[in-house]
Amino acid sequence: AGLMRFARGAFRLGEEVQPVALRVTCPLPLAHDTLTSSLPRNFARALFQPWHVAEVTLLPAVAPAPAEAAEETAARTAALIAAELGVPATRWSSADKAELKRRYGLL
């Protein structure tokens, strides 16, 4: 488990961002986001759960440092959220996941 790399789009604006850590637990042991799962499949799995418990943690706002690239601000923000969730911040993106699925025929 780990936190995927953030897209840099929102960080290109050079504005302060509000990181939010979302921890969701479910009573049944259904894997929600596997390598082969899509958003509709994850949503369908969630519908089979009798309930969900969501814990939302607002973390300190992150402002870009002077001359800091959007990628660096995104990485700092991801590291903050990953630390709160107790998982590593990875360098993998959703595009990497899609490429891996395509490469191994997991579509």
Side-chain angles (χ1 to χ4, degrees):
L3 186 66
M4 294 181 86
R5 185 179 72 217
F6 293 157
R8 62 180 181 250
F11 298 94
R12 284 185 177 167
L13 300 174
E15 297 293 327
E16 188 174 87
V17 295
Q18 178 62 63
V20 176
L22 178 63
R23 187 178 285 113
V24 179
T25 56
C26 306
L28 300 178
L30 296 175
H32 278 279
D33 192 15
T34 64
L35 178 61
T36 58
S37 63
S38 63
L39 182 60
R41 188 175 292 170
N42 286 338
F43 183 71
R45 281 190 189 116
L47 292 177
F48 286 101
Q49 296 285 346
W51 70 84
H52 297 84
V53 176
E55 178 186 336
V56 179
T57 306
L58 295 176
L59 300 169
V62 175
E68 182 177 47
E71 292 83 2
E72 295 168 327
T73 308
R76 279 195 307 118
T77 305
L80 187 65
I81 295 171
E84 174 65 29
L85 296 174
V87 298
T90 71
R91 63 183 181 93
W92 306 109
S93 68
S94 57
D96 295 324
K97 178 181 174 180
E99 171 60 22
L100 190 65
K101 287 170 66 173
R102 185 199 61 75
R103 184 179 298 170
Y104 291 101
L106 300 173
L107 299 174

